[in-house]
Amino acid sequence: MKDPKSALNSGRVVSIRGSVVDILFEQNLPPIHSLLRTGDNLQIVIEVQAQRDAHCVQGIALTPTQGLARGMLVEDTGGPLLAPVGKNIRSRMFDVFGNTIDNESPLENVQWRSVNSPPPPLSRRSTQSEIFETGIKVIDVLMPLERGGKAGLFGGAGVGKTVLLTEMIHNMIGHHEGVSIFCGIGERSREGEELYREMKAVGVLPNMVMVFGQMNEPPGSRFRVGHVALTMAEYFRDDEHRDVLLLIDNIFRFIQAGSEISGLLGQMPSRLGYQPTMGTELSSLEERIANTDTGAITSIQAVYVPADDFTDPAAVHTFSHLSASIVLSRKRASEGLYPAIDPLESNSRMATPGIVGERHYALAQEVRRTLAQYTELKDIIAMLGLEQLSPDDRNLVARARRLERFLTQPFFTTEQFTSNKGKLVSLKDSLDGCERILRDEFRDYPESALYMIGSINEAKIQAVPDNNSASNTKPGTRLKATSGTSASVASEDG
């Protein structure tokens, strides 16, 4: 919004280097984070990043700089970047400037707030730990999410981060009486359009806000769009006292945009070419996501991991802020075990007896132990065959393979691709299923009966007992192949 005082403070462009613009002000020097406008119709927006001397500021353009020339007049708007807040922003789609991009009616009756708010003080933060149920079996059992916490979805390209985020939106809004905010940072335009259409089709758009800074936009725009979404989330938490589900796709693109800005400003790069201020920039965003006395912002963030390398500084810095880490595995995706979550690499701070209860904790530990022992036995099976294992180990392998298949789940958001009806599974049903598999109740059922089902009782409907299952195999026989998984996994005995 243009300030009436802007005409009193104007400067001129003295240098342009891509998105970096140096501007000379003869009188008042604008503070850092001030918004400046220039161009023929004031359509070029610049945010002040540094004050170079008593009369010159350096800024980053939040819009393309085509047509910008030295000597052009620049107007100081008199304030920082603002975001719209209010009841009427629900069901709408915005860009980084708060403009609606959904071709609907103009926005009315909203307030405008600065996107540069400080995090809530420690005195206002809640210290209670509550579980946030998602309806996805493998997450609720092994890596429960925290209400008001931050969870990360880690994975390389094409392993299902966006699909998992979309499924969580669908599952949450049904039994989550709050507001969902989706923030797309540096993602594809196609994904934003598809998400808007899907959310509209399933009827959850009235309690949802979408904010997008697409990958074709300048780095300044991609860097600021996360702060815009957080400002909207803070309004619903602090003013309307509602719980907020904030989904960010993708937090790595935020770090990447900061790296681009740092390079454009000529700062000395840090490890692997990242910006030296990466930790500070990430903290300024993450620390605002908090559980307070008025409500909670629960955040689920997709994190692209470059080349699947979890020692990359972007992944390491993001890990430190999270209460739960959900690691997606390319190997499991290739085996058809969707969601492709690695149960051994993923973890949650909530998975303690004092928070989830003794039974849940003991079951989760037993599931992890069984899957870990199966992973250790895979090399022996590949080299010598299943028949070389002891009867106890063969039983453990059968149990682990049935657990792996039970922890798969058909998603509502992939129904059109798989023709499998989506399933929402309660925590009670998920725990019961794991417990009954660990007790060998399903040892006589084929593994395929447990693949892509909801509650464990569906296995009895899908299949009749198989007397030649792996748990009863004599030496020399092979594990039965499972429909929907790769042949290499189905015959791991070599």
Side-chain angles (χ1 to χ4, degrees), residues 261-277:
I261 291 171
S262 177
L264 288 167
L265 293 174
Q267 294 176 355
M268 184 71 72
S270 181
R271 187 172 158 228
L272 295 186
Y274 286 105
Q275 66 271 38
T277 53

Side-chain angles (χ1 to χ4, degrees), residues 359 363 427-437 456:
R359 175 176 175 257
L363 267 174
L427 177 60
K428 179 181 180 299
D429 286 344
S430 301
L431 292 173
D432 285 347
C434 292
E435 189 172 44
R436 290 166 70 180
I437 291 170
I456 195 70

Side-chain angles (χ1 to χ4, degrees), residues 16 22 34 75 89 102 106 115 143 147 150 201 241 319 325 387 390 407 462 493:
I16 308 158
D22 288 357
S34 291
E75 290 191 6
I89 67 171
D102 51 13
V115 302
M143 58 224 68
R147 176 182 173 269
K150 296 180 275 283
H241 298 183
F319 263 121
S325 301
E387 63 274 8
S390 67
L407 292 176
Q462 281 206 20
D493 52 334

Side-chain angles (χ1 to χ4, degrees), residues 271-329:
R271 187 172 158 228
L272 295 186
Y274 286 105
Q275 66 271 38
T277 53
M278 177 169 62
T280 307
E281 290 169 0
L282 190 61
S283 298
S284 69
L285 188 76
E286 297 282 7
E287 287 303 305
R288 290 170 64 181
I289 303 170
N291 189 355
T292 69
D293 48 6
T294 56
I297 299 176
T298 303
S299 176
I300 301 170
Q301 307 168 8
V303 186
Y304 168 69
V305 181
D308 293 343
D309 177 16
F310 285 90
T311 63
D312 188 89
V316 171
H317 275 76
T318 308
F319 263 121
S320 64
H321 290 280
L322 304 173
S323 56
S325 301
I326 301 169
V327 178
L328 297 172
S329 158

Side-chain angles (χ1 to χ4, degrees), residues 202-216:
V202 296
V204 299
L205 204 57
N207 276 317
M208 196 168 174
V209 184
M210 298 188 196
V211 191
F212 287 99
Q214 298 301 334
M215 59 168 54
N216 63 318

Side-chain angles (χ1 to χ4, degrees), residues 60-77:
I60 283 283
L62 306 186
T63 55
T65 54
Q66 283 90 342
L68 189 62
R70 291 174 62 185
M72 274 191 171
L73 194 67
V74 179
E75 290 191 6
D76 178 9
T77 63

Side-chain angles (χ1 to χ4, degrees), residues 140-291:
D140 289 342
V141 172
L142 296 177
M143 58 224 68
L145 305 187
E146 179 187 9
R147 176 182 173 269
K150 296 180 275 283
L153 293 178
F154 290 83
V159 292
K161 296 184 298 296
T162 303
V163 171
L164 196 53
L165 273 185
T166 311
E167 182 70 8
M168 285 184 181
I169 296 171
H170 183 281
N171 290 0
M172 302 298 173
I173 290 182
H175 64 273
H176 172 76
E177 295 184 7
V179 179
S180 285
I181 296 179
F182 184 92
C183 177
I185 305 178
E187 289 299 298
R188 302 167 189 84
S189 303
R190 170 185 58 78
E191 291 175 349
E193 187 273 332
E194 284 178 359
L195 180 67
Y196 181 78
R197 190 159 25 84
E198 286 169 10
M199 296 301 104
K200 198 169 186 176
V202 296
V204 299
L205 204 57
N207 276 317
M208 196 168 174
V209 184
M210 298 188 196
V211 191
F212 287 99
Q214 298 301 334
M215 59 168 54
N216 63 318
E217 296 183 24
S221 175
R222 286 180 271 126
F223 185 72
R224 279 290 169 222
V225 73
H227 297 94
V228 172
L230 257 173
T231 304
M232 294 174 175
E234 287 167 344
Y235 163 79
F236 287 111
R237 180 192 66 190
D238 299 336
D239 291 40
E240 294 202 3
H241 298 183
R242 300 178 70 173
D243 283 356
V244 183
L245 177 65
L246 175 65
L247 300 117
I248 301 176
D249 186 12
N250 186 304
I251 203 71
F252 173 77
R253 307 291 177 203
F254 168 78
I255 294 171
Q256 199 174 42
S259 181
E260 288 181 49
I261 291 171
S262 177
L264 288 167
L265 293 174
Q267 294 176 355
M268 184 71 72
S270 181
R271 187 172 158 228
L272 295 186
Y274 286 105
Q275 66 271 38
T277 53
M278 177 169 62
T280 307
E281 290 169 0
L282 190 61
S283 298
S284 69
L285 188 76
E286 297 282 7
E287 287 303 305
R288 290 170 64 181
I289 303 170
N291 189 355

